[in-house]
Amino acid sequence: MALANHPLAVLKITEFRNFILGRFVFIMGLRMMGTLVSWWMYELTGDAFYIGMIGLAEAIPAIGLALYAGYVIDRSEKRRLLLITISLYAMCTFILLGTSTQWFSQQFGTKLIIIFIYSIVFITGAIRAFSGPSFGAMIASLVPKHLLIPASQLSSTSWLIASISGHALAGFLIAWLHVTGTFVIITSLIITGFLLLSRLTPKPPGMSSEKKTLEAVAEGLKYVFKTKEVLGAITLDLFAVLFGGAVAMVPVYAKDILHVGPIGFGWLNAASDIGSISMVIALTLNPMKKKQGIKLFMAVTGFGLCIILFGLSKWYWLSFVALVAGGIFDGVSVVVRGNIMQLKTPDELRGRVLSVNSMFINSSNEIGQFESGVAAKLMGVIPSVVFGGCMTILVVVATWIKAPSLKKLEY
């Protein structure tokens, strides 16, 4: 394969390299924070329901602001907007760092700490409504159109590697540095990400003309609903993630079912991402040539089966393997959906369409976490995870019947 046509040729572009590296460090810090906050909350409360409420606290502002955020992204200079959101994240982690200290605990008690955690998580949900789609909307301005697919897949790959690193390192850091020390590392990573991304040149607004706010916001939704390939992929992934959010219960499995402690918890949290990154790297180097729609259905079915296996397992290594396998299947979905979003979205609509995607897909992780917490409270932890896996498979069957065009998808 000629170097110019190699999937990694996009890394020769300096700005794209800076973007990938800055995003990597930033996302690693954020994923560490998500892992740490879940562990911290379970330590404070001993109740899985409170873990689920973290997801709800983040999802409400992320969903509520998503459509407006897309409008703001399309009419803003993207580099500046991105740096503002990262600065706000750094402030939030610094507040949580202070909240986690022994002095704060002695002065104000556990109840106020819990209130602080939920309040900061709510604020980060609002920030994420703007930061997440900004990253995706910026890719097309960094690379030529013929390199958009490898750039999109490398972006997904870097995100997943950062996610793995964040999950696994958080477990080790909790064991070695405890909660407060881990927050110091997280804050440092987010600041480093800011410095790396500040090297990018300004990115002009994508919106070509002034429009009324509501009209411009509605354009993103209308485009998604009229583009059947985009709608079908988003819908399938939305409900699969919503019902298959077993990872939300990993702190409970680590502590009370598998009895493995913080390091084992970190690896269980990283397991899905290890599988995902393996698949994404494989598909980056050897892209799927045909029948991507059929493969998407098969992958989501496999994901649901792995969630059921994880829910039933009482052995650490079987649980770990089930989550890795689930991540492998999820990696197929990440690649197919990411490529569809980049290829099918016009430049002037990228912020708004990617915000719709964020509203449905990214926030479904938090809503799925809330659903898992409520289901665990009502049904017990193990039945709730198994139920989620079964519902994922049911969603695949329903989508197969209701969205026949998705089966024929190829690009």
Side-chain angles (χ1 to χ4, degrees), residues 39 167-168 170-176 254-255 260-268:
W39 177 267
H167 277 313
F172 296 130
L173 291 172
I174 291 168
W176 297 332
K255 270 198 162 187
V260 292
I263 293 179
F265 162 67
W267 282 110
L268 281 177

Side-chain angles (χ1 to χ4, degrees), residues 67 69 86 110 115 130 134 154 203 355 359:
L67 296 179
I86 295 173
T110 299
I115 293 172
F130 295 86
S134 292
L154 280 171
K203 305 301 172 190
S355 289
M359 181 175 67

Side-chain angles (χ1 to χ4, degrees), residues 40 44 97-114 180:
W40 187 20
L44 291 171
L97 166 61
T99 306
S100 70
T101 60
Q102 187 175 5
W103 174 85
F104 192 96
S105 178
Q106 291 173 347
Q107 292 294 317
F108 300 104
T110 299
K111 186 174 181 180
L112 190 60
I113 291 174
I114 293 172
T180 302

Side-chain angles (χ1 to χ4, degrees), residues 196-393:
L196 288 166
L197 289 165
S198 66
R199 297 179 180 179
L200 300 178
T201 58
K203 305 301 172 190
M207 198 176 297
S208 57
S209 61
E210 289 294 330
K211 296 181 179 179
K212 294 180 180 178
T213 303
L214 289 178
E215 178 187 351
V217 166
E219 278 187 331
L221 272 176
K222 289 177 181 177
Y223 183 82
V224 168
F225 280 97
K226 77 177 183 181
T227 309
K228 299 304 181 184
E229 300 93 338
V230 173
L231 180 61
I234 286 178
T235 302
L236 182 61
D237 212 21
L238 164 67
F239 288 103
V241 173
L242 179 64
F243 289 115
V247 174
M249 292 297 106
V250 165
V252 183
Y253 271 80
K255 270 198 162 187
D256 299 337
I257 297 174
L258 303 175
H259 307 289
V260 292
I263 293 179
F265 162 67
W267 282 110
L268 281 177
N269 246 326
S272 293
D273 291 328
I274 290 172
S276 293
I277 188 58
S278 301
M279 178 56 68
V280 171
I281 289 174
L283 293 177
T284 298
L285 298 175
N286 297 284
M288 288 183 284
K289 302 296 185 183
K290 57 183 180 178
K291 296 185 178 179
Q292 289 90 347
I294 292 289
K295 291 172 183 175
L296 179 62
F297 278 103
M298 293 171 61
V300 179
T301 301
F303 175 78
L305 292 172
C306 290
I307 295 301
I308 294 172
L309 178 61
F310 171 77
L312 295 173
S313 172
K314 300 293 179 64
W315 298 299
Y316 175 76
W317 286 110
L318 179 59
S319 300
F320 181 81
V321 169
L323 289 176
V324 170
I328 290 172
F329 289 119
D330 188 50
V332 176
S333 176
V334 168
V335 169
V336 173
R337 191 186 73 252
N339 288 342
I340 290 172
M341 297 301 296
Q342 289 295 338
L343 289 172
K344 296 286 184 180
T345 305
D347 287 343
E348 67 273 12
L349 285 173
R350 286 190 184 278
R352 282 163 286 173
V353 171
L354 288 169
S355 289
V356 173
N357 178 66
S358 176
M359 181 175 67
F360 285 110
I361 303 301
N362 295 338
S363 296
S364 67
N365 287 291
E366 284 72 41
I367 297 297
Q369 184 177 359
F370 172 67
E371 181 271 333
S372 295
V374 172
K377 190 79 171 177
L378 296 175
M379 304 166 60
V381 173
I382 294 175
S384 70
V385 174
V386 174
F387 169 78
C390 293
M391 289 300 296
T392 299
I393 295 173

Side-chain angles (χ1 to χ4, degrees), residues 11 30 40 53 55 102 157 169 175 188 229 233 244 246 269 310 313 388 405:
L11 290 176
L30 285 195
W40 187 20
M53 291 300 292
Q102 187 175 5
T157 301
L169 284 174
S188 301
E229 300 93 338
N269 246 326
F310 171 77
S313 172
S405 61

Side-chain angles (χ1 to χ4, degrees), residues 170-190:
F172 296 130
L173 291 172
I174 291 168
W176 297 332
L177 303 177
H178 308 293
V179 173
T180 302
T182 305
F183 269 123
V184 172
I185 301 298
I186 292 169
T187 305
S188 301
L189 286 171
I190 292 175

